């Protein structure tokens, strides 16, 4: 990414009103780390923006959008008229119970809790009487602005705050999208393997549910076009696939976008783990390549802030905004105001950027601790296909198919791993364990945890073979 692209992104956001006069922009060092570019690249972009009067540098106070900037905007286009009015129990318990190596739990020891509590107290004390009435069902406006700004700069999107719908998380995202846009007969495609709880939810709310296999280049688009070209919806995790952590190749991305446009189908992009990349290669969101507005981008703050926050979001295609609002007024109650205000301030003050930057470095270190311990204690048991980011390891069994029994053995020792084969629905499966590492703090901790299951694991696999 060059300075011209950074300049263009910021200029577009300022001209569109997503960044307003007086808004603070990330420090050069922070943004350079976020976008994985040289500091001089960001410096050059900021220098042009300052020279043209879009930004002003205020020394120790940072860089802001010029408070004196006056932008004349065109009237927004009229919105389209709204439309008329056994295993699950086991894994739910696994998710809710305490234990080590839990999947999708961010580092609890390194979260800036003091800063979060400070903001929380400030927000609670600043509550105004006029905020005690019902808030917009689409979410607290400053939070929508902060999310749009973050996505546009860091993930390459081009969305307005009006396109952001705040929800209670991943499952609320899927339910709302299908309620607004789907008919019961519409064919819905999910990845195989795919996120376990997403799969179980879709079986209950999407009567015409089908699957497309995932290989080392992501979802197999040729398979999709051959067998399910008539699908109305595709739900995919293109940046870091859940659970295999592979990235959808660029040719397949363009194939998917072409298919969606030609068939007027919708791609629901779950940007799973998109923030956690460990190299200088930043993988852009599929939505950033979407020139026809056929991608519905969804995300949550469960893995970047905390699962207990229960805040997610949908980036609605422009033509669908009125339909989402209409159904939202009927079916959604909206989220509590205080958590939204706290998160909005956490984002707008730059703490989220800093936290994500720190977690990238930390998670890379902790993944190495876990891999080293696995290789020392199970040298011939597992193989690995590592990606350049993420929050978990897939340890593929070199021999055998006993991953369900193996996962149960580890779970009995409070190691909350998942069996890979349980995430498949079709007959062609791979076998292994899905292992979280984000809360592994030392080599000794990793070794101690894995030693609990070393001998039983080797005995089980030897007996099976």
């Amino acid at each position: 990414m060059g300075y011209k692209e950074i300049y263009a992104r910021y200029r577009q956001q300022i001209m569109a009103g997503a960044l307003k006069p007086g808004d603070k922009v990330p420090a050069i060092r922070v943004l350079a780390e976020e976008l994985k570019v040289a500091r001089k690249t960001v410096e050059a972009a900021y220098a042009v923006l300052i020279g043209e009067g879009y930004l002003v540098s205020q020394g120790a106070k940072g860089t802001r959008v010029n408070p004196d900037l006056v932008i004349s905007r065109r009237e927004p286009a009229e919105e389209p008229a709204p439309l008329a009015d056994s295993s699950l129990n086991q894994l739910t318990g696994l998710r809710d119970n305490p234990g080590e190596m839990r999947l999708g739990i961010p580092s609890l020891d390194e979260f800036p809790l003091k800063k979060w509590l400070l903001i929380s107290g400030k927000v609670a004390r600043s509550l105004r009487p006029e905020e005690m009435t019902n808030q917009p069902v689409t979410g607290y406006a400053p939070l929508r602005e902060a999310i749009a700004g973050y996505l546009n700069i860091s993930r390459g999107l081009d969305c307005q705050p009006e396109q952001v719908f705040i929800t209670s998380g991943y499952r609320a995202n899927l339910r709302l999208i299908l309620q607004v846009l789907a008919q019961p007969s519409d064919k819905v495609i999910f990845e195989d393997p795919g996120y376990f709880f997403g799969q179980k939810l879709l079986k209950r709310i999407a009567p015409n549910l089908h699957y497309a296999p995932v290989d080392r280049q992501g979802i197999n688009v040729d398979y999709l076009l051959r067998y399910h070209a008539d699908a109305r919806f595709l739900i995919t995790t293109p940046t870091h696939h859940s659970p295999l952590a592979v990235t959808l190749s660029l040719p397949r991305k363009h194939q998917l976008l072409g298919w969606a446009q030609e068939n007027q189908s919708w791609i629901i992009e779950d940007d799973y783990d998109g923030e956690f990349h460990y190299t200088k290669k930043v993988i852009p969101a599929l939505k950033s390549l979407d020139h026809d507005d056929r991608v519905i981008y969804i995300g949550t703050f469960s893995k970047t802030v905390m699962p207990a926050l229960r805040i997610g979001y949908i980036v609605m295609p422009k033509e669908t905004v009125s339909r989402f609002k209409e159904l939202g007024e009927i079916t959604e109650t909206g989220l509590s105001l205080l958590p939204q205000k706290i998160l909005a301030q956490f984002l707008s003050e730059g703490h989220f950027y800093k936290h994500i930057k720190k977690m990238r470095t930390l998670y890379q270190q902790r993944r190495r601790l876990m891999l080293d311990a696995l290789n020392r204690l199970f040298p011939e048991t597992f193989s690995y296909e590592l990606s350049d980011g993420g929050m978990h390891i897939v340890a593929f069994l070199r021999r055998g198919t006993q991953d369900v029994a193996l996962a149960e053995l580890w779970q009995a020792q409070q190691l909350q791993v998942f069996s890979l084969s349980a995430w498949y629905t079709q007959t062609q499966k791979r076998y292994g364990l899905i292992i979280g590492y984000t809360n592994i703090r030392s080599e000794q901790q990793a070794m101690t945890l894995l030693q609990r299951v070393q001998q039983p694991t080797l005995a089980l696999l030897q007996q099976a073979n």
Side-chain angles (χ1 to χ4, degrees):
M1 180 184 296
Y3 81 91
K4 291 183 179 179
E5 186 174 354
I6 299 173
Y7 160 82
R9 286 188 186 184
Y10 270 98
R11 184 181 183 279
Q12 191 276 332
Q13 292 303 300
I14 293 170
M15 294 297 293
L19 287 173
K20 296 179 173 58
D23 283 356
K24 189 175 181 181
V25 299
I28 290 173
R29 175 180 54 81
V30 173
L31 186 60
E33 179 64 27
E34 171 68 24
L35 300 179
K36 297 299 180 185
V37 299
R39 291 181 60 176
K40 289 184 178 180
T41 303
V42 178
E43 287 175 356
Y46 277 19
V48 175
L49 290 164
I50 291 171
E52 293 183 355
Y54 292 106
L55 300 181
V56 292
S57 177
Q58 298 181 331
K61 294 183 179 180
T63 303
R64 297 179 183 272
V65 179
N66 189 344
D68 299 323
L69 189 64
V70 178
I71 299 173
S72 59
R73 297 187 179 87
R74 295 176 295 177
E75 290 297 318
E78 184 177 350
E79 292 182 345
L83 296 181
D85 288 313
S86 56
S87 59
L88 180 60
N89 291 334
Q90 176 191 4
L91 291 178
T92 301
L94 173 61
R95 181 197 62 188
D96 295 338
N97 290 334
E100 309 289 346
M101 302 182 188
R102 293 178 64 191
L103 182 64
I105 304 298
S107 171
L108 303 179
D109 58 309
E110 293 293 336
F111 181 74
L113 185 57
K114 290 184 179 179
K115 178 62 67 177
W116 183 268
L117 294 175
L118 185 65
I119 293 174
S120 300
K122 183 178 179 181
V123 165
R125 291 190 296 271
S126 68
L127 185 66
R128 303 188 304 274
E130 58 267 28
E131 293 177 327
M132 298 170 68
T133 60
N134 291 332
Q135 293 294 308
V137 71
T138 51
Y140 179 56
L143 177 57
R144 297 167 70 197
E145 293 171 3
I147 290 173
Y150 169 74
L151 295 176
N152 292 338
I153 299 301
S154 295
R155 305 300 294 136
L157 272 62
D158 182 15
C159 68
Q160 301 301 313
E162 293 75 20
Q163 292 175 254
V164 178
F165 196 118
I166 305 299
T167 73
S168 61
Y170 171 83
R171 281 168 280 190
N173 289 343
L174 293 187
R175 282 196 301 267
L176 183 57
I177 290 169
L178 295 181
Q179 284 177 336
V180 172
L181 299 178
Q183 299 296 323
S185 60
D186 286 343
K187 182 183 285 188
V188 178
I189 306 299
F190 197 58
E191 296 172 317
D192 190 43
Y195 177 52
F196 184 88
F197 292 103
Q199 174 196 131
K200 295 301 181 184
L201 172 66
L202 289 168
K203 285 181 178 180
R204 287 159 172 77
I205 66 174
N208 195 7
L209 178 64
H210 299 267
Y211 302 90
V214 174
D215 57 29
R216 288 172 175 80
Q217 296 184 62
I219 190 169
N220 188 326
V221 183
D222 288 338
Y223 180 96
L224 172 70
L225 298 180
R226 184 178 304 117
Y227 297 107
H228 301 299
D230 60 336
R232 178 70 170 159
F233 295 89
L234 166 67
I235 302 166
T236 182
T237 51
T239 301
H240 289 139
H241 173 261
S242 171
L244 298 179
V246 297
T247 299
L248 185 64
S249 67
L250 186 59
R252 289 189 180 184
K253 288 179 179 178
H254 287 297
Q255 269 187 294
L256 274 185
L257 293 172
W259 161 78
Q261 172 58 15
E262 181 178 349
N263 293 276
Q264 290 297 285
S265 300
W266 296 109
I267 300 171
I268 301 174
E269 177 183 9
D270 175 15
D271 199 14
Y272 180 82
D273 280 357
E275 292 86 357
F276 299 118
H277 44 80
Y278 300 157
T279 68
K280 292 184 178 181
K281 179 183 177 183
V282 179
I283 302 170
L286 177 64
K287 180 65 178 175
S288 70
L289 306 174
D290 175 29
H291 303 299
D292 299 306
D293 217 12
R294 303 309 304 175
V295 177
I296 305 170
Y297 184 96
I298 65 174
T300 77
F301 291 93
S302 294
K303 295 177 178 61
T304 52
V305 179
M306 64 181 80
L309 189 61
R310 306 310 304 163
I311 293 181
Y313 54 87
I314 302 168
V315 177
M316 303 170 284
K318 292 177 182 177
E319 70 169 83
T320 69
V321 168
S322 62
R323 285 180 275 177
F324 273 91
K325 286 182 178 179
E326 181 185 21
L327 189 64
E329 292 289 350
I330 298 170
T331 64
E332 301 296 313
T333 59
L335 300 183
S336 174
L337 175 62
L338 286 179
Q340 293 188 74
K341 292 189 70 174
I342 295 166
L343 180 59
Q345 194 159 331
F346 190 73
L347 286 165
S348 62
E349 291 183 356
H351 307 300
F352 184 74
Y353 279 97
K354 294 177 182 178
H355 179 57
I356 292 298
K357 172 190 172 184
K358 181 179 179 180
M359 292 304 99
R360 289 184 189 128
T361 301
L362 182 71
Y363 290 168
Q364 187 176 20
Q365 296 168 350
R366 292 185 172 184
R367 181 172 75 173
R368 176 47 53 193
L369 294 175
M370 179 60 72
L371 282 170
D372 287 347
L374 285 167
N375 284 324
R376 288 177 63 182
L377 296 177
F378 305 101
E380 303 297 328
T381 303
F382 301 113
S383 64
Y384 313 94
E385 298 169 3
L386 299 180
S387 67
D388 68 349
M391 299 173 67
H392 68 266
I393 294 167
V394 180
F396 296 98
L397 284 174
R398 292 180 182 270
R399 293 176 296 276
T401 61
Q402 303 297 314
D403 63 344
V404 173
L406 193 58
E408 291 175 352
L409 187 156
W410 287 41
Q411 292 162 16
Q413 296 297 321
Q414 294 301 302
L415 304 185
Q416 308 292 35
V417 301
F418 287 88
S419 60
L420 176 61
S421 65
W423 294 45
Y424 283 86
T425 58
Q426 299 175 313
T427 55
Q428 291 188 338
K429 300 182 178 184
R430 301 182 73 183
Y431 299 88
L433 298 179
I434 307 171
I435 303 172
Y437 55 77
T438 51
N439 284 282
I440 298 300
R441 306 179 188 181
S442 67
E443 179 182 3
Q444 182 59 49
Q445 182 190 9
M447 291 291 293
T448 300
L449 293 175
L450 292 177
Q451 283 169 348
R452 295 182 192 173
V453 294
Q454 182 185 26
Q455 293 305 319
T457 294
L458 297 177
L460 172 65
L461 295 177
Q462 184 176 16
Q463 181 181 12
N465 295 326

